[in-house]
Amino acid sequence: EPEVTQTPSHQVTQMGQEVILRCVPISNHLYFYWYRQILGQKVEFLVSFYNNEISEKSEIFDDQFSVERPDGSNFTLKIRSTKLEDSAMYFCASNRRPGREGLETQYFGPGTRLLVL
Amino acid sequence: AQKVTQAQTEISVVEKEDVTLDCVYETRDTTYYLFWYKQPPSGELVFLIRRNSFDEQNEISGRYSWNFQKSTSSFNFTITASQVVDSAVYFCALSEAPDGATNKLIFGTGTLLAVQP
């Protein structure tokens, strides 16, 4: 069964460093998402991406964050200058199509646990 | 505004007991989707069920059942004859379906279910 994959599973970085989290969505999916979950808290939406551009982003997704689909398979989240409060689990998700046309479920990757020291 | 409330922070039951996890949602949209995800201790998010706002039929899948009531804006999840492997955090989530946009998920705060042997 196809699945979303994420690398690395864990990353430790120093405050102020740049990190890139990688995701490979399910191959026939067209819509991609990043969410984060601070330890012990709920899962929060960061950004959605379709047709090589951001379609929606949350207040959390400030100028320190960026997303990219550098090739036909990868979808990345970059944090330019990490802060302590960026420590969280980051989940990538994908689906084929959203909205009123017929919602497709978002399937989540296993997550990347980021620790900023 | 969209909101999902899971008032039960933690529930502890003994194996073989039935348990119901509550979910109450708020939305202004007439078309929306509700989800339950399971997050075991390993951390991944496992999709359990999706429900459309226009389909109030309850669903049963093995030991799992879901009760969707639009009149009370609730989408409750019952596990019958609970097992230790059911121990996890369970998240209820809501997605509206604006035309042409991606459908971010709004998660509740989760309910930690502990099933004791």
Side-chain angles (χ1 to χ4, degrees):
Chain A
E1 186 175 319
E3 56 184 22
V4 178
T5 60
Q6 290 185 243
T7 54
S9 58
H10 293 78
Q11 178 144 7
V12 180
T13 189
Q14 296 290 324
M15 192 169 58
Q17 295 295 303
E18 174 184 286
V19 295
I20 298 176
L21 310 183
R22 291 184 167 80
C23 168
V24 178
I26 294 172
S27 63
N28 63 347
H29 285 186
L30 301 175
Y31 299 84
F32 314 117
Y33 309 81
W34 284 101
Y35 292 82
R36 81 168 185 194
Q37 183 183 29
I38 295 172
L39 187 65
Q41 298 187 23
K42 66 179 178 181
V43 180
E44 300 173 289
F45 169 76
L46 289 179
V47 65
S48 57
F49 190 88
Y50 169 67
N51 201 25
N52 281 320
E53 61 182 25
I54 291 173
S55 44
E56 187 175 1
K57 59 183 181 179
S58 71
E59 294 173 353
I60 303 168
F61 194 88
D62 62 22
D63 293 343
Q64 292 298 314
F65 292 90
S66 61
V67 289
E68 191 178 31
R69 187 152 164 85
D71 53 43
S73 57
N74 289 283
F75 178 51
T76 62
L77 173 69
K78 182 194 291 187
I79 309 175
R80 241 178 295 280
S81 177
T82 49
K83 308 190 220 16
L84 296 177
E85 54 265 36
D86 293 327
S87 295
M89 178 79 98
Y90 289 82
F91 290 103
C92 173
S94 69
N95 63 354
R96 281 190 297 176
R97 62 174 189 269
R100 298 179 191 277
E101 298 169 354
L103 181 74
E104 293 278 339
T105 298
Q106 287 181 36
Y107 290 93
F108 284 77
T112 293
R113 188 168 295 284
L114 176 66
L115 178 61
V116 182
L117 302 176
Chain B
Q2 308 167 53
K3 187 178 177 183
V4 176
T5 301
Q6 294 180 256
Q8 302 152 310
T9 309
E10 291 185 38
I11 300 177
S12 182
V13 299
V14 176
E15 214 171 12
K16 296 184 184 170
E17 283 184 23
D18 298 347
V19 58
T20 295
L21 310 181
D22 297 333
C23 173
V24 174
Y25 63 91
E26 293 175 33
T27 177
R28 291 189 196 140
D29 213 344
T30 54
T31 301
Y32 53 89
Y33 304 87
L34 296 162
F35 302 80
W36 277 94
Y37 285 85
K38 174 183 179 180
Q39 187 174 44
S42 49
E44 72 271 27
L45 285 167
V46 179
F47 165 72
L48 295 177
I49 190 171
R50 178 185 81 228
R51 218 71 189 121
N52 305 328
S53 56
F54 42 87
D55 179 5
E56 282 194 76
Q57 192 172 9
N58 292 326
E59 183 157 338
I60 298 175
S61 175
R63 296 184 297 107
Y64 295 171
S65 62
W66 291 270
N67 182 7
F68 176 29
Q69 301 223 344
K70 282 178 83 167
S71 60
T72 54
S73 298
S74 65
F75 185 44
N76 297 338
F77 172 30
T78 297
I79 302 175
T80 303
S82 58
Q83 299 175 2
V84 172
V85 293
D86 296 327
S87 297
V89 179
Y90 290 85
F91 289 99
C92 181
L94 164 71
S95 175
E96 293 174 346
D99 291 325
T102 51
N103 58 300
K104 65 182 180 189
L105 291 174
I106 304 298
F107 284 82
T109 49
T111 297
L112 172 61
L113 174 64
V115 182
Q116 311 295 335

